[in-house]
Amino acid sequence: MGIKVFNTMTRQKEDFVTVEPNVVKMYVCGPTVYNFFHIGNARTFIVFDTIRRYLEYRGYQVKFIQNFTDIDDKMIKRANEEGVTVKDVAEKYIGEYYKDADALNLKRATVNPRATEYINEIIKFVKDLEDKGFAYAVDGDVYFDTTKFKEYGKLSHQSIEDLEAGARIEVDERKRNPMDFALWKAKKEGEPAWQSPWGEGRPGWHIECSTMACSLLGETIDIHGGGADLVFPHHENEIAQSEARNGKPFARYWMHAAYLNVNNQKMSKSLNNFFTAREILEKYDAEVIRMFMLSGHYRNPINFSLDLLEQARAGLERIYNSISNLEHVIEVSKYDAMKEEEKTFSLKLDEYRNRFIDVMDDDFNTADAISVIFDMVRDINSNINLESSKEIAKKALDLIRELGSPLAILQKNTKESLDEEIERLIEERQRARKEKNFALADKIRDDLKAMGIILEDTPQGVRWKRM
């Protein structure tokens, strides 16, 4: 059937057909590097990392560009607060981004361009728009004339009048129209600036992404992605300036990850429910965070809470227990080759792979893909035991790893991590017994039994073995 993608532009699923056969040119808006990125950003990054990985799993070569905005108002404010240069702020937080992104197992982009590396290309882009009559200069600022681009509003599906009514517009009497936006900003005292045909200044935010996408991927790309908050004005403005200049569609598919709420409320510092990715990584393993983030469809808002993270951790643990059991069967089974009666189950495993591909092909439905993995693991637990062959156990194990790979989960060496977790629980049980908290001690014993671990209290201490 092939892959189908929901296109924000058309508001429907479309067959995925790339500009160049078997190559995906993909641009995803990255962070403004003035602070650590938060868990809402993390969801967007994980979503598009997963989409990229799945496209690679399906055989595409993906050219994945994610930019760093390293010059804008927030960065200038942070630099002034810290008494350093904007470049110093950028270097610091790009380094911090990579630490957190690597910890979340986000695959490095093909290129992470920085806006300040493309100043000459940005100036040329703006000049081309001015020469074509889509832009005008006022006192060193250059604005895009939204009335000249007749399709303005087509991504957000609103007319200019509707957008004006609903938007918080920065009042500037020098603009011809309220919705016009800055392509180039004249220098202000204490700000970094570059020489241009309009005097010293710096780029506007929207022009940076259009220029970097065009420079690195071409005038028409396959996928442009980002968070839902970027549909308007950022992506709307990118479309207007790119298509006005190049005279062709900017992107074939526009994809947007929905919002992440915290305890059913919008995340904000004023509500004291604002978390950086680093804060959550200090408490939870990256695979747990990814499992949670991918447990809902990327186009649906999800609610973040510690309880839901715990559920994700428990679910992941169940799968890793199955992996550990399969490794044990491979290690100790008396039978090498697949038995005749196992061949039917072997075919069923192939069906699980097909189900996984079917749901992921349908607009990257990671929620259903995870459900397929859980169904498969339950079936594996019911059908494979110490009397099974090494061959069927290995096929099952390889398939769990294979299907986890595009989601960047289920790839760990289970023996080491599981053994550490078991030893930790045994120590906790011993403490509970010393404190005469026998209810807790019994609960830990039962929890371990559910993990397939039997405890033996001996004169030499507690020993454990797998069931």
Side-chain angles (χ1 to χ4, degrees):
M1 293 290 289
I3 295 171
K4 286 190 175 292
V5 176
F6 184 89
N7 190 347
T8 307
M9 181 73 77
T10 61
R11 292 189 175 176
Q12 62 186 18
K13 290 179 189 175
E14 300 175 2
D15 292 331
F16 185 61
V17 182
T18 55
V19 175
E20 190 180 326
N22 300 317
V23 175
V24 179
K25 297 174 182 179
M26 186 172 178
Y27 187 97
V28 176
C29 289
T32 301
V33 284
Y34 73 102
N35 207 337
F36 299 99
F37 66 84
H38 58 67
I39 53 172
N41 304 136
R43 184 195 188 188
T44 299
F45 299 154
I46 287 169
V47 161
F48 286 101
D49 177 68
T50 302
I51 289 169
R52 175 207 188 165
R53 286 172 182 270
Y54 183 71
L55 290 169
E56 290 173 341
Y57 172 75
R58 295 288 271 127
Y60 288 95
Q61 178 195 346
V62 182
K63 296 178 180 176
F64 185 89
I65 310 299
Q66 186 181 43
N67 70 300
F68 291 129
T69 296
D70 63 343
I71 176 69
D72 91 327
D73 294 342
K74 291 173 183 171
M75 297 205 56
I76 292 165
K77 183 171 180 285
R78 175 55 62 95
N80 291 338
E81 287 170 356
E82 296 186 1
V84 296
T85 67
V86 172
K87 191 172 190 303
D88 290 336
V89 172
E91 291 299 331
K92 174 182 176 181
Y93 287 107
I94 286 172
E96 301 297 350
Y97 167 86
Y98 280 129
K99 278 184 197 171
D100 293 341
D102 289 347
L104 284 169
N105 201 12
L106 298 174
K107 194 170 179 181
R108 292 278 179 115
T110 311
V111 183
N112 284 124
R114 306 184 189 192
T116 57
E117 297 170 341
Y118 285 81
I119 297 297
N120 291 337
E121 290 87 346
I122 289 168
I123 290 170
K124 183 178 187 317
F125 203 120
V126 176
K127 189 74 177 69
D128 288 347
L129 285 169
E130 185 181 43
D131 292 345
K132 290 186 174 188
F134 288 100
Y136 58 93
V138 185
D139 303 330
D141 291 325
V142 184
Y143 294 99
F144 185 90
D145 188 338
T146 51
T147 63
K148 295 288 179 68
F149 186 72
K150 300 306 176 191
E151 294 182 293
Y152 191 76
K154 65 180 178 177
L155 184 68
S156 47
H157 299 271
Q158 296 184 78
S159 66
I160 285 185
E161 292 75 20
D162 291 339
L163 290 168
E164 282 180 20
R168 288 180 294 179
I169 301 166
E170 186 180 338
V171 177
D172 187 338
E173 297 299 330
R174 300 172 310 148
K175 294 198 294 187
R176 293 178 185 171
N177 314 288
M179 297 305 298
D180 293 353
F181 56 90
L183 299 168
W184 186 262
K185 297 183 176 184
K187 180 182 179 181
K188 293 178 184 170
E189 191 61 40
E191 291 186 355
W194 291 264
Q195 192 57 52
S196 80
W198 314 282
E200 284 191 294
R202 61 183 174 89
W205 175 36
H206 313 298
I207 197 69
E208 298 172 1
C209 287
S210 285
T211 302
M212 290 185 281
C214 184
S215 298
L216 290 163
L217 296 174
E219 292 179 348
T220 299
I221 67 177
D222 295 302
I223 294 174
H224 198 316
D229 57 315
L230 297 182
V231 173
F232 183 85
H234 186 50
H235 287 168
E236 195 76 72
N237 291 350
E238 278 192 66
I239 289 167
Q241 63 203 10
S242 298
E243 296 187 2
R245 178 190 185 237
N246 300 325
K248 57 185 72 169
F250 179 29
R252 287 196 169 195
Y253 308 93
W254 288 87
M255 300 182 69
H256 295 93
Y259 295 100
L260 179 144
N261 297 316
V262 178
N263 296 321
N264 295 307
Q265 293 180 298
K266 186 177 179 183
M267 184 170 61
S268 73
K269 287 180 178 172
S270 61
L271 291 172
N272 201 30
N273 65 353
F274 183 93
F275 300 102
T276 64
R278 184 163 299 182
E279 286 171 320
I280 303 304
L281 279 162
E282 286 169 0
K283 296 173 184 168
Y284 288 92
D285 183 83
E287 287 200 18
V288 173
I289 297 169
R290 290 187 74 107
M291 182 82 155
F292 162 73
M293 294 287 190
L294 299 174
S295 61
H297 193 285
Y298 77 89
R299 285 191 285 114
N300 295 334
I302 59 172
N303 185 49
F304 178 91
S305 73
L306 296 183
D307 284 346
L308 292 171
L309 272 174
E310 282 297 331
Q311 288 177 29
R313 185 192 62 75
L316 203 57
E317 195 172 87
R318 286 200 303 275
I319 303 174
Y320 269 119
N321 288 340
S322 184
I323 288 174
S324 180
N325 291 337
L326 289 170
E327 289 172 335
H328 189 54
V329 172
I330 293 165
E331 200 177 307
V332 305
S333 173
K334 303 189 290 280
Y335 312 102
D336 290 330
M338 199 181 297
K339 302 174 187 179
E340 197 59 38
E341 62 268 24
E342 291 174 334
K343 290 181 180 174
T344 302
F345 186 64
S346 175
L347 293 174
K348 197 171 183 187
L349 288 175
D350 296 334
E351 289 172 17
Y352 280 114
R353 177 190 287 109
N354 294 335
R355 276 178 58 192
F356 178 89
I357 290 171
D358 285 346
V359 297
M360 284 295 286
D361 276 1
D362 185 9
D363 195 32
F364 312 101
N365 191 337
T366 55
D368 283 359
I370 288 170
S371 293
V372 170
I373 293 173
F374 275 121
D375 289 347
M376 179 180 72
V377 166
R378 273 193 294 272
D379 221 351
I380 287 168
N381 291 345
S382 299
N383 284 275
I384 298 180
N385 53 49
L386 290 176
E387 293 302 308
S388 302
S389 67
K390 294 184 180 186
E391 187 179 356
I392 191 68
K394 186 172 187 312
K395 178 168 182 175
L397 175 60
D398 289 347
L399 187 55
I400 294 174
R401 299 282 199 197
E402 177 191 328
L403 302 189
S405 178
L407 312 178
I409 58 175
L410 307 175
Q411 306 303 305
K412 283 185 180 174
N413 179 330
T414 57
K415 189 158 177 51
E416 289 175 13
S417 57
L418 193 61
D419 287 1
E420 285 175 14
E421 175 68 4
I422 291 163
E423 295 291 354
R424 184 187 68 76
L425 286 169
I426 289 171
E427 283 177 24
E428 194 177 321
R429 177 174 174 266
Q430 291 297 87
R431 277 198 302 276
R433 291 179 73 189
K434 280 179 186 171
E435 294 165 5
K436 300 196 183 316
N437 187 347
F438 298 114
L440 177 59
D442 290 345
K443 182 183 181 302
I444 293 170
R445 177 189 278 274
D446 291 342
D447 288 347
L448 286 165
K449 189 173 181 181
M451 294 166 63
I453 304 300
I454 297 292
L455 298 186
E456 295 176 347
D457 294 312
T458 74
Q460 292 76 34
V462 180
R463 292 182 179 173
W464 62 271
K465 65 180 181 181
R466 287 185 173 84
M467 293 167 71

